[in-house]
Amino acid sequence: MTKIATRDAYGRALAQLGGENQDIVVLDADLAKSTKTIDFAKVYPERFFDMGIAEQNLIGVSAGLAAAGKIPFASTFAMFATGRAFEQIRNSVAYPKLNVKIAATHAGISVGEDGASHQTVEDIALMRAIPNMTVVVPADGIETEAVIRWAASYSGPVYIRLGRLAVPVLYDENYRFEWGKAVTLCSGKDVTFIAAGLMVAMAMEAAELLSAEGIEAEVLNIHTIKPIDAEAICASVQRTGAVVTAEEHSIIGGLGSAVAEVLAEHYPAPLERVGLKDTFGESGKPNELFEKYGLTKEALVAAAKKAVGRKK
Amino acid sequence: MEQALQQRLEQTARQLRRHIISMTHGASSGHPGGSLSATDIVTALFFHEMRVDPQNPRWPSRDRFILSKGHAAPVLYAALAEKGFFPVEELPNLRRTGHFLQGHPDMKKVPGVDMSTGSLGQGISAAVGMALALELDKSDARVWAVLGDGELQEGQVWEAAMAAAHYKLDRLTAFVDLNKLQIDGPVEKVMSCLPVKEKFEAFGWNVLEIDGHSFEQIIDAIEQAKATKGRPTCIVAHTVKGKGVSFMENQVGWHGSAPNAEQAQQALKELQ
């Protein structure tokens, strides 16, 4: 199976878009080689601004560029973009609804060896709480390129959560990204997996395991976490009657919470949340950390069975 | 400096100061002290220097103004109204529910406001971004920012200062309204930001030091800033908090409290 990191797809998309739209500018905070904004910087150095290790200013300068008509993509690690510069995003970007794209990489525990200081598991929660903010978590490289292209055409703040780790390619070149519309990757009648980011591929594998045991799982890739596709969630749950959310993020405030809000308001159903259980990560190889923190296909299978067992 | 210009600016500044008193009194809240200290700087910029068009507030070639010390919103609103961006009759609606004059500047609501500010330290970063954008567009528009001295305690100011010099943003000028007082007391006692001049110089800026209530010095500094190439200019303006109202001058208590009816009446009398 072909694998590509969403950050690699991001760099490629930026370099392409840069030629199509002269208003696109890219900013980084001394991590261009890691976030892959270097791909853009190499081709369009005059439209690339390194802000140094100064994330608050990175976001503030992006806001100013947007206020003067540019389309800034601001990148650094997700931890520092959404954590260090949270209030700058809230007050300088989202409140005036400026056209800033915060494309942050190295989200979640798949950062690996760098450890908990660099592994944000709270960024979706933080970004989702801000009015005017859109939150998108692409599942693979193809979807990432489509999201970046869409973000450049959309007027307003967007948070795009990207990863360090190479992840399986799920889509082909014909994929069309539709903002706010969940994608049903496989249909089933017994349980719905609602997943984002690298957990989508894992949910697909879990669905296969379950099918061998006679349980038919539906898999929704909910790339847009805000605004969330409540209609698709409810439609699926009406068929299956049980839900498992899967995210590489804390179950507090992230996708699991967003889905819980939808279900509680519109269609109460058994829900199991797979994600970080109110804990920080640690140093280690990504796969070992997935194992330790319960982000595996086996954990998804167990959660699905539990959710199915809770059906009335 | 021409006497006619001097007189016109003094008259305008008095008018803006009267608005500040009336607005904060009407709202029973707001920040008169720091609005009054920045009034002469704002007057010189809006009524002498800046290229703006009240009929076309989003004109791409306009000069930009960023009130990084956003709590001085009353002086900015007064200037914008007198300039014709919106009717002067709107000023009494400062801070009222359902009206557009927010407690701190909101670029989405108030015509002529180039950046939403209020959280200190953030406006100067936006000013850097605007200067970068205008540079890319090969525009001749300039960017003017006003910071407070207490605001210099925010680390972000220095991140922005570093970036402005690094990118040689000579179209950017930042005034520091050095009125020496912040909410908790004298800046020197709360958290000294001195020496301001040497700090900005160390960050690579051209720095001028002036009396922030002398139009001659303000305008002379503006001209020097415009003539400076290859680096941004910081104008350290020594000011008096509460300037123009005897009982407010140099009084920390007037940072964030509004005059009552009697006090407003006396202040307006002094500002005739």
Side-chain angles (χ1 to χ4, degrees):
Chain A
M1 186 181 269
T2 320
K3 284 190 174 187
I4 175 176
T6 50
R7 61 173 169 150
D8 285 312
Y10 170 53
R12 208 162 55 204
L14 271 187
Q16 249 178 35
L17 270 176
E20 298 169 23
N21 190 337
Q22 298 300 311
D23 284 335
I24 290 177
V25 293
V26 177
L27 298 92
D28 208 302
D30 194 39
L31 288 168
K33 290 190 194 93
S34 301
T35 64
K36 303 299 174 185
T37 57
I38 187 99
D39 295 354
F40 179 94
K42 279 183 189 154
V43 201
Y44 306 105
E46 71 288 352
R47 281 187 276 144
F48 174 78
F49 303 105
D50 205 320
M51 286 294 124
I53 310 162
E55 294 78 14
Q56 303 173 46
N57 191 49
L58 167 83
I59 298 299
V61 170
S62 300
L65 280 155
K70 302 297 170 196
I71 307 171
F73 280 77
S75 290
T76 178
F77 288 180
M79 179 73 256
F80 313 125
T82 65
R84 185 66 159 258
F86 172 78
E87 200 233 313
Q88 282 72 18
I89 294 175
R90 195 264 188 197
N91 273 326
S92 285
V93 175
Y95 173 46
K97 209 178 178 189
L98 287 169
N99 197 18
V100 175
K101 318 303 167 187
I102 299 148
T105 66
H106 294 62
I109 58 171
S110 58
V111 166
E113 291 81 346
D114 275 354
S117 62
H118 285 53
Q119 300 166 340
T120 178
V121 293
E122 309 89 354
D123 55 317
I124 295 174
L126 288 167
M127 293 299 101
R128 194 165 82 82
I130 304 176
N132 288 340
M133 184 60 82
T134 279
V135 178
V136 184
V137 185
D140 76 349
I142 302 263
E143 188 164 75
T144 300
E145 289 189 45
V147 165
I148 298 306
R149 194 161 278 280
W150 164 81
S153 69
Y154 167 86
S155 178
V158 181
Y159 175 62
I160 304 157
R161 184 188 216 234
L162 303 167
R164 168 176 184 257
L165 189 69
V167 294
V169 175
L170 300 167
Y171 295 106
D172 62 27
E173 302 295 336
N174 299 317
Y175 175 66
R176 292 284 167 272
F177 171 79
E178 263 192 277
W179 178 51
K181 293 274 173 235
V183 183
T184 305
L185 288 175
C186 76
S187 301
K189 60 173 177 44
D190 299 322
V191 62
T192 303
F193 282 119
I194 301 178
L198 54 73
M199 296 304 288
V200 175
M202 223 180 269
M204 292 293 284
E205 291 173 28
E208 258 188 62
L209 291 178
L210 284 167
S211 128
E213 299 186 45
I215 299 172
E216 290 180 32
E218 184 146 303
V219 178
L220 295 191
N221 167 19
I222 195 111
H223 48 60
T224 312
I225 296 188
K226 186 186 173 191
I228 198 157
D229 190 350
E231 209 176 304
I233 292 171
C234 292
S236 176
V237 180
Q238 278 174 27
R239 282 192 298 274
T240 62
V243 184
V244 175
T245 55
E247 62 193 310
E248 191 201 3
H249 183 277
S250 171
I251 57 167
I252 300 173
L255 172 63
S257 293
V259 171
E261 289 158 16
V262 170
L263 295 179
E265 284 184 353
H266 301 290
Y267 199 86
L271 165 69
E272 294 294 325
R273 293 175 294 161
V274 172
L276 276 286
K277 304 264 165 51
D278 197 17
T279 177
F280 294 111
E282 64 179 77
S283 289
K285 295 203 184 310
N287 282 334
E288 293 164 6
L289 295 179
F290 290 154
E291 199 74 44
K292 178 160 181 179
Y293 291 93
L295 305 185
T296 59
K297 54 183 188 247
E298 292 78 13
L300 287 172
V301 164
K305 288 180 179 167
K306 201 169 161 195
V308 169
R310 285 172 56 202
K311 285 197 222 178
K312 293 218 172 79
Chain B
M1 182 174 175
E2 275 176 60
Q3 198 159 357
L5 173 63
Q6 171 94 20
Q7 274 175 357
R8 181 172 68 78
L9 293 177
E10 278 174 7
Q11 209 175 345
T12 304
R14 261 199 311 279
Q15 178 65 23
L16 299 192
R17 286 191 164 96
R18 285 197 292 270
H19 284 315
I20 292 165
I21 297 301
S22 303
M23 291 165 83
T24 50
H25 165 60
S28 303
S29 72
H31 299 82
S35 298
L36 292 167
S37 65
T39 299
D40 298 316
I41 296 163
V42 171
T43 301
L45 285 171
F46 274 93
F47 296 90
H48 175 66
E49 173 56 31
M50 281 171 40
R51 184 174 67 191
V52 292
D53 179 2
Q55 303 310 312
N56 187 7
R58 296 275 170 233
W59 178 36
S61 301
R62 73 191 184 281
D63 290 333
R64 266 62 168 187
F65 178 81
I66 296 96
L67 187 65
S68 201
K69 48 171 288 187
H71 55 280
V75 67
L76 174 57
Y77 296 162
L80 292 173
E82 284 294 334
K83 195 80 189 168
F85 281 91
F86 54 83
V88 173
E89 290 71 37
E90 288 290 345
L91 292 177
N93 293 323
L94 173 72
R95 292 176 168 243
R96 284 179 209 262
T97 310
H99 290 273
F100 67 88
L101 294 177
Q102 299 298 297
H104 293 82
D106 180 339
M107 66 184 288
K108 285 289 176 207
K109 292 200 166 109
V110 185
V113 169
D114 286 320
M115 184 64 202
S116 301
T117 52
S119 177
L120 295 173
Q122 299 195 22
I124 186 65
S125 288
V128 169
M130 288 178 198
L132 281 173
L134 294 167
E135 206 77 34
L136 282 175
D137 290 342
K138 299 186 170 48
S139 164
D140 66 346
R142 298 191 61 86
V143 182
W144 303 93
V146 174
L147 296 125
D149 48 0
E151 183 178 9
L152 302 183
Q153 292 157 357
E154 289 283 5
Q156 186 177 355
V157 169
W158 303 103
E159 294 185 3
M162 209 183 301
H166 180 82
Y167 285 104
K168 302 182 169 53
L169 300 176
D170 50 21
R171 72 180 68 230
L172 170 65
T173 303
F175 281 88
V176 174
D177 176 12
L178 200 88
N179 64 29
K180 302 159 198 77
L181 294 174
Q182 60 187 115
I183 305 180
D184 275 357
V187 176
E188 271 314 279
K189 287 219 170 120
V190 176
M191 181 53 66
S192 174
C193 65
L194 298 180
V196 174
K197 184 170 185 279
E198 286 81 353
K199 279 196 182 73
F200 274 95
E201 276 171 352
F203 276 77
W205 289 52
N206 171 45
V207 186
L208 308 166
E209 205 158 4
I210 63 164
D211 172 353
H213 300 304
S214 154
F215 283 114
E216 184 156 10
Q217 290 189 35
I218 295 171
I219 288 170
D220 184 52
I222 286 173
E223 291 308 322
Q224 286 187 55
K226 283 156 69 180
T228 301
K229 299 294 167 210
R231 56 193 176 141
T233 294
C234 172
I235 302 174
V236 181
H238 291 265
T239 58
V240 172
K241 199 149 183 165
K243 175 73 178 178
V245 178
S246 60
F247 58 91
M248 289 186 173
E249 288 192 358
N250 292 315
Q251 297 299 312
V252 74
W254 291 104
H255 172 92
S257 47
N260 62 26
E262 196 185 330
Q263 292 162 329
Q265 201 178 15
Q266 159 150 19
L268 290 174
K269 207 160 93 187
E270 291 183 20
L271 291 165
Q272 277 310 307

